[in-house]
Amino acid sequence: MSISSFLKRKFSKELFFPSHNRGRALPKELINLLNEDPGSWDLPELPEIGTVLSESGLISDAQNLFAQKFQANKCWFGVNGASGLIQSAILSMAKPGESILIPRNAHISVIKICLLCDIVPIFYNLEFSVEKGCYLPLNQSQLKEILNHELLSSSKISGIIIVNPFYQGFTADISPLVDACHQKGIPVLVDEAHGAYFLFCENFGLPRSAVRSNADLVVQSLHKSLTGLTQTAILWFKGTLVKEENIIKSIKLLETTSPSSLLLASCEESVRDWLDEDNLKIYKAVISSARNIFEELVSKGVPLIKTEDPLKIILNTGLVGIDGFFADKFFYKHGLIAELPEMLTLTFCLGFSKHDDFVKVFFDLWIKLINDVKPNKRLKPYIPPFDLVQIPSVNPSAAWSGRTEKLPLNSSIGRICSELIYPYPPGIPLIVPGERIDKERIEWISEQSLYCKDLVNSYITVLTLEK
């Protein structure tokens, strides 16, 4: 079967990204564009269109309009995904040899740019919920302890990254966190890939967007949490702690020289669509429906985990002794496609179209899974073995590019890791180059591998020992 043939395939329920639900919630203007002669919209960077860095043109006009609407200094569209703009934002904050504070649940794109540009990641840990099998959002007291940690006393901290909301929808009160960092003169980059729509629904019982909380840099994925096509994203810039010229230089360095005009149009239309009052009413009705879906499933006894994002349905499979990877395969086999399997949970993303019969389909399959498996005891996760603040033992860039050898996992204790190990999704590293491997980390990685078979093949790449 060809890729093109598979893209025509239909499933019973498609609860994965992008959030336009395979076109059902795409902006009307984009649908009209796609209905034109095939490929007629595939234009180069003509003067009338410009680029994301042009001072004039249609792209510049749209970006300036949106920045003014939300009281931002500037905003820029991205067609390399949120990852590309996150990497540009990091380069605008930190120079080679400097350090940035990174949460343990940061996306792999953060580590990749650190490796390439010799930026030192200083990791801060988050509270872990044994019941939910995942990290919990950062709070003010934790942040204060992190910022005052003794390990930071000799490091130049050029910025901090906060992931908010999480992939699963857990959300912190972002405003006081931003304020606490600003009091120390530390610029804040918020990875808001999963919370773009919060910006348009402030008075609808949803979390406050970091854009409205004066974070210096905010990156949103328009395909994950608005109605854009895959790879579309936007970077918002506020304040004076980061130089605008640094952001422009970084975008210029990393952006593609052949941006898709279709994706750029999608960036614009996915934001414009939410600024239209009539469309916003429709989207709010979808959000209300999602809340009702959650309550109805809970009333039927389905073990769900509540988060601040009503569009995420998180099934607590571990509560009945089923791991999320097994459940994911079961649901996939029966045409209900989820987004994120984890050890204790399976996350479904409702997106922005209607799901009239979702409750019945979901509930019937859940009961069938329970009856087929006949689970017993509740699963318990292995708590991530991290200290509150940790600095890699060896410069990560040096560890990445140094001389290496492969060793069996159990023979690597005490050695310096030289590779990235991460399950995808969600793309969160379990270990990064430069970190010293200890017994606890090996046990944790092995535990993850029991459920995610492709994670590691029992070997790990480490730096060779100096003779």
Side-chain angles (χ1 to χ4, degrees), residues 402-413:
R403 294 180 60 187
T404 64
E405 61 180 319
K406 280 188 174 291
L407 293 178
L409 277 177
N410 291 331
S411 300
S412 66
I413 294 173

Side-chain angles (χ1 to χ4, degrees), residues 418-432:
S418 183
E419 69 171 306
L420 286 161
I421 295 180
Y422 58 96
Y424 192 88
I428 295 172
L430 304 182
I431 192 166
V432 306

Side-chain angles (χ1 to χ4, degrees), residues 148-416:
N148 293 324
H149 199 280
E150 60 181 2
L151 284 180
L152 303 186
S153 59
S154 60
S155 300
K156 176 176 172 47
I157 306 300
S158 298
I160 184 172
I161 299 174
I162 299 174
V163 179
N164 196 67
F166 293 177
Y167 207 124
Q168 303 88 347
F170 297 106
T171 308
D173 183 3
I174 192 66
S175 295
L177 301 180
V178 172
D179 292 342
C181 294
H182 284 172
Q183 288 171 13
K184 288 185 171 287
I186 300 174
V188 181
L189 163 59
V190 178
D191 177 352
E192 200 171 76
H194 294 272
Y197 80 99
F198 296 166
L199 182 58
F200 304 87
C201 304
E202 190 177 24
N203 299 315
F204 201 61
L206 293 169
R208 185 176 179 84
S209 169
V211 178
R212 296 188 185 275
S213 301
N214 295 320
D216 304 271
L217 300 162
V218 181
V219 175
Q220 297 171 334
S221 169
L222 301 181
H223 88 264
K224 286 185 172 72
S225 50
L226 275 190
T227 50
L229 295 172
T230 297
Q231 289 185 218
T232 56
I234 191 167
L235 167 60
W236 303 91
F237 166 50
K238 283 192 169 187
T240 59
L241 291 179
V242 180
K243 293 181 179 180
E244 181 179 329
E245 63 188 69
N246 289 350
I247 305 172
I248 292 172
K249 283 170 57 179
S250 300
I251 293 175
K252 189 178 294 185
L253 180 68
L254 295 176
E255 73 164 346
T256 174
T257 56
S258 302
S260 164
S261 52
L262 176 64
L263 294 183
L264 289 166
S266 178
C267 288
E268 178 185 12
E269 295 303 335
S270 62
V271 176
R272 281 190 186 277
D273 210 44
W274 282 75
L275 292 175
D276 182 274
E277 289 297 326
D278 292 333
N279 290 338
L280 186 58
K281 290 178 182 177
I282 295 173
Y283 288 130
K284 286 184 175 180
V286 170
I287 296 167
S288 295
S289 175
R291 288 170 169 154
N292 293 336
I293 286 172
F294 177 90
E295 296 299 335
E296 192 171 347
L297 287 172
V298 169
S299 70
K300 290 177 172 289
V302 179
L304 300 183
I305 296 173
K306 189 175 182 62
T307 73
E308 289 72 33
D309 184 354
L311 298 181
K312 303 287 174 63
I313 299 294
I314 304 177
L315 182 61
N316 192 349
T317 60
L319 195 63
V320 294
I322 300 173
D323 69 85
F325 298 97
F326 181 90
D328 184 45
K329 292 176 182 177
F330 172 87
F331 281 105
Y332 193 104
K333 178 182 177 182
H334 291 85
L336 200 157
I337 317 301
E339 170 63 26
L340 174 64
E342 296 179 280
M343 182 177 171
L344 297 190
T345 61
L346 182 59
T347 298
F348 300 84
C349 299
L350 294 176
F352 295 107
S353 66
K354 295 181 179 180
H355 298 280
D356 295 330
D357 60 343
F358 172 75
V359 171
K360 182 181 187 316
V361 173
F362 189 94
F363 180 72
D364 288 348
L365 283 177
W366 172 244
I367 296 301
K368 178 173 174 53
L369 174 61
I370 294 294
N371 290 336
D372 288 356
V373 176
K374 296 181 174 58
N376 295 311
K377 59 183 181 179
R378 176 177 183 167
L379 294 181
K380 292 184 179 180
Y382 195 97
I383 299 174
F386 301 125
D387 296 334
L388 179 64
V389 176
Q390 286 180 287
I391 302 175
S393 300
V394 171
N395 179 290
S397 293
W400 173 259
S401 57
R403 294 180 60 187
T404 64
E405 61 180 319
K406 280 188 174 291
L407 293 178
L409 277 177
N410 291 331
S411 300
S412 66
I413 294 173
R415 302 291 292 272
I416 300 297

